Structure formats: structure tokens, C-alpha cells
Amino acid sequence: MDDDSRSNVTVLMKVAVAFDHRGVKLRDRVLSELAALGHEALDLGTDSPEPRIDYPDKAREVGEAIQGGEAERAVLVCGSGVGASVAANKLAGIRAAVCHDTYSAHQGVEHDDMNVLCLGSEVVGAELVAELLRAFLNARFDGGERYVRRLEKIEEMEREKTYG
């Protein structure tokens, strides 16, 4: 089954999008693909490579948009996707992953209830970005007992997290 046929019903969502100064090179493609798919973008910027924007700031913005109910999912783009993913995962309830292949982009939602897709502008091109967005946004959490059990363990880890 190809990624576009995974769901017979498209559920339109509000999707927060954010880019650091390196990620901005994929901005137009991300926004145009979201519009083509009928999703509403909550655009958190940036729209220029200057001044430099730190990816942790953008990770916080998309995470808080999801936590606050302003968006159901998010797309976060930096140079590699790695830093954005690391930063976003520091926020409670955020499940972010770098996905540069369509299998991971849909499977991360289906099995892990991933809500933030992180991309690397230095790693993927515009056409692959479109495929990744379709896979991510068309996927639905499976809700099976084993997946819910695993998410509950992750939530317990978040509650136990201590700093100091």
C-alpha cells in the first residue's frame, strides 16, 4: 500500500510550521504543500535567512502551539532536523522525530503518536518534503493496546523528569 492510500478520509488540521535560518529554504514548499492538501498553517516564521534564528526557540513555539491547542501537529525545519527534534522533545506531550523517509513519517504517527515532523533543509529536497508531509498528515494513531501502553510509559518518564 502506498503512503497516499493509507487513509480514505482526509482529516484537515491546523498545522504549526516553523523554520530556523537554515530551514527557511524549505519554507515555500512546506507552506504550498499544506495549502494544496487543504490544511491550515499556523506560520511561526521565520521567512528570511537573516538574522539567524535558533532552532530551540522555534521548537518551543511549535510545542507550545500544540500544548495550547492552537495546532494539532507541527512541522519544524532546521539544517539537519536533529537539533529541532532534540529541542522539541524537551516539552511535555511533544513527540518529535526527524523523518527523511515516508515510512518513518507515517509509522511515527501510527505507532508513536508523533505530533511534530522535523526536517533537515540540508538533507531533503522540495519534492521529498511534499511526500513526507503527505505521509505524516494522512497518518492516524493506531490506538492499539501496545501503542497506548508505550505512550503511557513515555508520559510517566516525562512526569519523573527532574533537573538539577
Side-chain angles (χ1 to χ4, degrees):
M1 175 184 326
D2 69 344
D3 297 326
D4 293 331
S5 65
R6 299 192 75 74
S7 172
N8 292 330
V9 178
T10 299
V11 176
L12 300 182
M13 292 179 255
K14 192 159 192 181
V15 181
V17 295
F19 312 86
D20 75 357
H21 60 281
R22 289 178 66 201
V24 75
K25 67 174 69 171
L26 291 177
R27 175 186 170 76
D28 290 343
R29 186 61 168 141
V30 168
L31 291 172
S32 67
E33 189 63 27
L34 287 175
L37 295 171
H39 298 288
E40 181 182 349
L42 173 61
D43 186 352
L44 301 172
T46 189
D47 61 1
S48 173
E50 293 292 333
R52 290 178 179 248
I53 303 294
D54 293 335
Y55 61 81
D57 298 330
K58 292 300 167 186
R60 180 182 296 277
E61 289 176 24
V62 298
E64 289 176 349
I66 291 173
Q67 290 172 327
E70 297 173 67
E72 289 111 308
R73 294 198 193 159
V75 178
L76 183 56
V77 188
C78 69
S80 69
V82 174
S85 176
V86 169
N89 279 307
K90 299 299 181 186
L91 300 167
I94 301 305
R95 293 169 301 282
V98 179
C99 297
H100 291 147
D101 64 275
T102 58
Y103 177 79
S104 298
H106 71 76
Q107 189 271 343
V109 175
E110 293 164 354
H111 293 188
D112 306 308
D113 203 18
M114 177 177 70
N115 52 17
V116 179
L117 174 65
C118 298
L119 301 171
S121 66
E122 304 298 327
V123 182
V124 297
E127 290 310 308
L128 182 53
V129 164
E131 292 177 32
L132 294 168
L133 287 171
R134 287 191 296 271
F136 172 63
L137 295 171
N138 287 336
R140 300 290 165 265
F141 179 57
D142 178 276
E145 183 274 330
R146 66 183 174 171
Y147 305 124
V148 170
R149 181 182 69 245
R150 293 168 186 164
L151 285 177
E152 288 170 347
K153 289 179 179 186
I154 292 168
E155 290 168 354
E156 181 180 335
M157 292 167 67
E158 286 178 343
R159 287 189 299 274
E160 292 172 351
K161 189 173 8 179
T162 59
Y163 298 95

